[in-house]
Amino acid sequence: MDRNASKRQVPATIAFVLTLGTHVQFVKGIGPQIAQLLAARGITTVEDLLYHLPFRYEDRLHPRALNELQPGEMASVIAEVRGSALLRTRAMPIFEMTVGQGIHSLKCIWFRGTYLKDKFKHGQMVALYGKVEASRSGRGFKMIQPQFEVLPSDHDEDDEGRLLEVGRIVPVYESLGGNKLTSRWIRRVVFNLLKELNEDVPETLPGALLERLKLPGRAAALQYVHFPPPGTPISQLQASATEAHKRLIFEELFYLELGLELKRRKFKEREGIAFETNDQVREAIREVLPFHPTAAQKRALAEIVADMRRSSPMRRLLQGDVGSGKTIVALQAMLVAIENGYQAALMAPTEILATQHYLAARKLLERSSKRYRIVLLTGSLDEDLKRLNRRRISEGEADVVIGTHALIEEKVEFHKLGLIVVDEQHRFGVMQRFKLMRKHTDSEPDVLVMTATPIPRTLALSLYGDLDLSVLDELPPGRTPIVTRKIGDERAEDVWKFVREQVAKGHQAYVVYPVIEGAKGDQPELDFAPVEPEEEKPAKKKAKARQLFEKPTLKAATEMYESLRTGALAGLRLGLLHGRLDSDEKEIVMRRFQRGEIDVLISTTVIEVGVDVPNATVMVIEHAERFGLAQLHQLRGRVGRGAAKSYCILMTGGKVSPEAEERLAAMVRTQNGFELAELDLQLRGPGEFFGTRQAGLPDFRVANLLRDREVLEMAKSEAVRFVQDPEGEASEEERKLVRARLREAWQRRYGLVEAG
Ligand code: ADP
Ligand code: MG
């Protein structure tokens, strides 16, 4: 590395003081070129670099001796290179190396290891980390694809290397770019930064808070997580469970929660609408109710109505498992607004869902003696109709407006908007929600957010920390559990026979496929615009590669529609539904299915959320191995909505990964959405849980929602405490600091200009 390059950036005559805010370009060892590489990874300042924490640690003070390794364990060893060779097998080149300690040896194997050919020299010391396996001969052990570092030897000139890489607990970092910005490189840069900063790292949390939680200061914590003192238990470090880790995690989550809490309060202070609920309103609600609400529905509605009566604007999340009956609660709330002379809007994530809500709302409102005016507004309505509907909305000729995103994104002027209901919230993402809520200026409409995905409490806390929560924890009466079976492709004939039997009994069925057309590059179906694109995550890329790999064998909706229509399901009335139909076509198909004019609906996952046809009793999901748990649960939720016994058939085609097996087994085992959501979160991680793109999840640098639940709860309660009594919690100086940090965190990390 050209160290002089960076020196040239800094005129020697100016005393250069390194701070956390210093641009990385001015750091010793980093020039403009590397700075650019780092910027691509979101690292622009010294602080960013310091918050790139090690993802694991190696104990090179007490490395494992080769003769005490156990097969199956992950181990760190230090040994001497004894020999190596590149073997050219027919399948691929394999690089083999033998390392030793005294009479004991260990074999290391790297597939496609040509790049390692000249890497190691006889007699060199190397640090290896990997899984220990018994070697095939039965004698000794091997490691397959271990991670490695060549260590500096005693006579190397490299003092720094000896200091940092041997005889201590060594931090291992995720590379920040190819084979240049390696773990070793980061280690040295960070080490020097910490030395140069010399504890000159401003504290970001109030002293009283740190003392109460017994957390270390920021400077000490950073030093500790990068270069833990000898004797720190490795297991604690690996689990990010040291006090130092906790402190940094807490800091990150505290500022997220503080921002959310301030937002919540600020909204509350705004002038909202104090709706009245007199006898007339109550009668209007009673009139449309087609059944007795469950106790949970009554409770939720009471909470919502109490909010609506207050003059501060409502910000409430209605959470309930699939089929718990959120829609009717929302419609009742909308009636409160309408009866008070306001308009109510319901936004859905897909056109099909918006259309269905529109149909359902119309049916329900027709029960009333009043004539409510209800308007549909979706992206693919033809322009004239859109324009007409917009005019009806702006001139107050529509009481209820139901639509998709188009509602927010296009210029819809409401005459007098009183309530916004956002259905299936997880599809929108946090950031979009903030956008929507900012839009209205004069008197704030109330906002009710509904989510069908049972969000684990930890995520709910961080995603919806600014909302109040109502939960529907009870299903309407008369539901029988859905029978769920996993069945291999080869038994398809049995499945279609079963579908025929159900249809013969007067029921209906869904058959769902992951893509529309099999031929060319169809992505899994989503008929809504994704949230602003962000940089693609490596995990996502991998998933894409996997999709490509599996594509040729995927069954697709359109082709299967043809093949079933003329084959296994010939004679039944089939319908085809996917996101590429325009909204009229979708509406027609949905209506016909709802009226029972279609027996079997062949569809993509556009029907995943919300679709409600109680007479449908069979959900067949082909390529079920390809769907996420949350998605499978949503799909299964389309049946079992009436009194008749319902079935979910998970068909698998092709190879099923162990992880997919686990998902399918969970589906068969339980119908509890919360349980499934927790498992899904564990299997996929919080980003994927909501579908990375759609998630709008804040990008954490040290926190991990899965691992850090306790810290998150702590951060939440501390944030509330701080907001309630800033003077009691912090000195004036500290409060200033907290405010500045908050602003920065929300601008940089969560991409929002205002923190609250
Ligand atoms: P979700 O919470 O998944 O949006 P829906 O609101 O679509 O659930 O309701 C699921 C089904 O249950 C619908 O057919 C609805 O009409 C019916 N339903 C809702 N509440 C009740 C109730 N209290 N009694 C009987 N059926 C109900
Ligand atoms: Mg719903």
Side-chain angles (χ1 to χ4, degrees):
M1 179 149 332
D2 183 2
R3 294 221 166 140
N4 294 324
S6 65
K7 280 203 187 122
R8 256 181 261 125
Q9 304 288 336
V10 187
T13 49
I14 298 176
F16 179 68
V17 184
L18 186 87
T19 69
L20 289 187
T22 304
H23 196 286
V24 282
Q25 181 175 333
F26 304 115
V27 170
K28 200 167 117 193
I30 302 181
Q33 226 178 343
I34 291 181
Q36 218 166 22
L37 290 176
L38 291 175
R41 300 293 299 264
I43 293 179
T44 55
T45 64
V46 166
E47 177 176 326
D48 294 338
L49 254 181
L50 291 181
Y51 277 82
H52 182 67
L53 302 192
F55 76 97
R56 86 184 161 77
Y57 297 84
E58 281 184 22
D59 190 349
R60 294 192 191 157
L61 184 58
H62 309 286
R64 304 291 307 278
L66 290 186
N67 62 343
E68 44 173 59
L69 294 180
Q70 299 291 330
E73 70 172 335
M74 298 297 294
S76 243
V77 302
I78 291 179
E80 185 190 42
V81 175
R82 294 270 165 85
S84 65
L86 184 65
L87 311 175
R88 302 207 170 266
T89 69
R90 199 173 322 152
M92 67 184 95
I94 294 177
F95 186 76
E96 277 195 12
M97 174 167 79
T98 306
V99 297
Q101 282 171 358
I103 58 163
H104 302 287
S105 67
L106 173 75
K107 188 177 259 180
C108 302
I109 295 167
W110 287 272
F111 300 115
R112 303 185 199 287
T114 317
Y115 66 101
L116 294 172
K117 198 158 59 83
D118 302 314
K119 187 93 197 171
F120 304 99
K121 290 186 190 65
H122 195 272
Q124 257 175 348
M125 296 303 286
V126 287
L128 295 154
Y129 176 78
K131 188 171 178 188
V132 178
E133 295 178 38
S135 80
R136 213 180 298 168
S137 64
R139 276 180 296 119
F141 296 114
K142 65 180 177 189
M143 279 186 181
I144 297 186
Q145 317 269 75
Q147 295 178 27
F148 66 88
E149 264 179 47
V150 177
L151 300 178
S153 75
D154 290 347
H155 6 270
D156 262 347
E157 296 291 289
D158 188 359
D159 285 347
E160 210 169 68
R162 270 209 302 286
L163 181 68
L164 291 182
E165 269 132 36
V166 286
R168 69 181 309 149
I169 295 176
V170 175
V172 180
Y173 301 86
E174 199 181 304
S175 159
L176 285 172
N179 46 20
K180 197 163 182 192
L181 311 185
T182 58
S183 179
R184 168 177 285 173
W185 180 86
I186 298 165
R187 195 179 295 146
R188 290 180 188 213
V189 169
V190 168
F191 183 80
N192 286 324
L193 281 178
L194 287 170
K195 201 161 68 181
E196 201 166 332
L197 285 167
N198 191 23
E199 309 244 322
D200 186 14
V201 175
E203 182 51 65
T204 49
L205 293 169
L209 191 159
L210 287 177
E211 211 159 292
R212 186 167 57 240
L213 301 179
K214 300 199 172 44
L215 291 175
R218 192 176 178 214
L222 283 170
Q223 180 69 42
Y224 193 106
V225 296
H226 287 289
F227 298 100
T232 312
I234 293 284
S235 59
Q236 247 189 50
L237 287 166
Q238 304 290 46
S240 299
T242 68
E243 294 303 300
H245 279 97
K246 255 202 215 149
R247 135 98 229 184
L248 297 174
I249 294 162
F250 176 84
E251 173 185 326
E252 182 160 44
L253 296 175
F254 176 76
Y255 279 100
L256 172 71
E257 292 301 333
L258 189 60
L260 289 172
E261 180 62 19
L262 285 171
K263 263 183 187 302
R264 203 169 78 96
R265 298 207 160 220
K266 211 164 153 190
F267 276 127
K268 290 268 148 85
E269 281 163 18
R270 290 205 203 164
E271 199 46 45
I273 307 155
F275 293 101
E276 274 184 45
T277 47
N278 49 29
D279 287 344
Q280 178 201 329
V281 176
R282 259 176 243 127
E283 182 48 35
I285 291 179
R286 238 193 318 272
E287 242 183 3
V288 301
L289 255 189
F291 31 58
H292 291 290
T294 63
Q297 284 171 321
K298 275 192 206 149
R299 193 178 53 231
L301 184 67
E303 286 164 356
I304 292 164
V305 170
D307 278 4
M308 291 181 76
R309 291 169 57 94
R310 277 186 211 112
S311 67
S312 60
M314 169 169 76
R315 296 289 176 261
R316 186 167 283 276
L317 177 70
L318 177 59
Q319 184 189 57
D321 205 348
V322 182
S324 57
K326 294 179 291 294
T327 318
I328 190 79
V329 175
L331 284 171
Q332 288 176 297
M334 291 166 87
L335 279 176
V336 173
I338 300 165
E339 286 296 322
N340 276 265
Y342 285 85
Q343 293 171 303
L346 193 161
M347 301 187 359
T350 67
E351 296 221 340
I352 286 175
L353 193 49
T355 306
Q356 178 192 278
H357 275 317
Y358 170 73
L359 297 174
R362 259 190 21 190
K363 199 163 128 202
L364 211 64
L365 296 181
E366 270 165 16
R367 301 168 57 92
S368 165
S369 52
K370 311 213 171 104
R371 303 189 126 248
Y372 296 108
R373 295 159 304 174
I374 175 171
V375 152
L376 177 68
L377 196 65
T378 58
S380 65
L381 287 183
D382 78 46
E383 286 304 319
D384 287 347
L385 188 52
K386 252 195 260 184
R387 208 168 311 125
L388 175 69
N389 283 351
R390 267 197 225 116
R391 204 178 62 230
R392 291 167 67 194
I393 297 167
S394 67
E395 288 174 3
E397 285 166 22
D399 306 307
V400 180
V401 181
I402 295 182
T404 49
H405 281 217
L407 265 187
I408 345 169
E409 273 145 23
E410 295 174 24
K411 293 184 198 74
V412 178
E413 295 287 334
F414 283 90
H415 176 65
K416 203 179 171 193
L417 183 58
L419 171 69
I420 305 171
V421 179
V422 186
D423 193 11
E424 316 294 352
Q425 162 68 20
H426 68 282
R427 284 301 183 81
F428 287 109
V430 214
M431 299 317 166
Q432 232 169 351
R433 178 158 53 81
F434 288 140
K435 232 201 263 175
L436 164 70
M437 288 185 185
R438 262 208 303 269
K439 196 183 154 181
H440 310 275
T441 42
D442 23 339
S443 78
E444 281 289 321
D446 283 347
V447 176
L448 178 66
V449 171
M450 303 196 288
T451 176
T453 304
I455 302 164
R457 188 174 152 69
T458 329
L459 275 182
L461 266 178
S462 55
L463 286 173
Y464 307 104
D466 59 329
L467 302 181
D468 297 309
L469 182 67
S470 292
V471 181
L472 294 183
D473 50 7
E474 178 186 358
L475 293 179
R479 304 271 171 88
T480 44
I482 301 166
V483 177
T484 304
R485 292 272 181 276
K486 186 190 131 210
I487 287 181
D489 231 357
E490 68 283 356
R491 290 182 53 200
E493 283 310 313
D494 297 346
V495 173
W496 304 133
K497 193 167 146 242
F498 180 72
V499 168
R500 282 179 164 283
E501 283 164 16
Q502 287 289 308
V503 171
K505 285 186 186 159
H507 297 308
Q508 290 162 284
Y510 299 94
V511 184
V512 175
Y513 294 91
V515 294
I516 305 177
E517 285 160 14
K520 42 184 186 306
D522 262 6
Q523 290 300 306
E525 175 87 319
L526 300 167
D527 80 344
F528 55 93
V531 183
E532 303 99 67
E534 48 172 282
E535 205 204 330
E536 221 168 70
K537 304 238 162 61
K540 188 95 184 182
K541 272 191 198 141
K542 223 188 271 164
K544 251 199 197 137
R546 210 162 46 224
Q547 275 168 24
L548 281 174
F549 182 66
E550 286 172 5
K551 190 145 303 145
T553 57
L554 271 191
K555 291 189 203 161
T558 47
E559 282 122 55
M560 286 307 288
Y561 169 74
E562 281 308 320
S563 121
L564 289 171
R565 199 170 59 89
T566 52
L569 299 181
L572 303 189
R573 296 167 303 171
L574 303 195
L576 175 65
L577 192 67
H578 56 71
R580 259 185 240 155
L581 300 178
D582 72 32
S583 77
D584 282 351
E585 293 171 304
K586 277 181 215 159
E587 187 180 329
I588 290 167
V589 176
M590 273 318 293
R591 254 183 223 270
R592 292 185 53 216
F593 190 61
Q594 237 144 17
R595 288 207 210 102
E597 295 165 15
I598 290 174
D599 302 315
V600 183
L601 186 61
I602 316 289
S603 172
T604 56
T605 54
V606 288
I607 57 138
E608 174 189 337
V609 269
V611 170
D612 182 39
V613 179
N615 188 47
T617 54
V618 189
M619 166 61 67
V620 178
I621 305 172
E622 289 228 50
H623 289 298
E625 75 279 0
R626 303 237 325 164
F627 294 90
L629 255 186
Q631 218 175 7
L632 289 171
H633 180 62
Q634 289 297 331
L635 285 170
R636 177 168 58 185
R638 298 311 110 218
V639 295
R641 300 171 87 83
K645 188 161 184 171
S646 291
Y647 305 84
C648 175
I649 300 172
L650 306 168
M651 277 170 82
T652 55
K655 215 168 155 232
V656 182
S657 70
E659 207 185 287
E661 284 293 358
E662 207 171 325
R663 287 199 295 270
L664 298 177
M667 282 293 292
V668 173
R669 187 174 64 237
T670 178
Q671 214 174 309
N672 181 325
F674 279 88
E675 218 179 300
L676 291 170
E678 290 281 344
L679 182 67
D680 199 28
L681 186 59
Q682 276 168 34
L683 289 176
R684 291 201 289 166
E688 289 292 310
F689 178 74
F690 290 94
T692 322
R693 279 285 167 77
Q694 284 76 40
L697 266 181
D699 210 358
F700 295 115
R701 29 185 204 186
V702 290
N704 171 332
L705 291 180
L706 202 52
R707 184 190 64 202
D708 302 323
R709 294 173 181 218
E710 265 172 43
V711 185
L712 181 64
E713 306 249 351
M714 202 158 83
K716 165 101 176 160
S717 65
E718 288 297 332
V720 172
R721 186 166 176 162
F722 184 87
V723 173
Q724 273 166 357
D725 181 19
E727 279 82 17
E729 288 293 305
S731 69
E732 197 185 328
E733 189 78 357
E734 288 174 325
R735 289 199 300 275
K736 237 201 249 136
L737 193 142
V738 166
R739 274 196 300 274
R741 183 78 181 161
L742 178 69
R743 216 163 21 242
E744 193 213 290
W746 275 70
Q747 274 170 14
R748 278 211 60 193
R749 309 307 308 175
Y750 312 128
L752 285 180
V753 183
E754 46 138 29

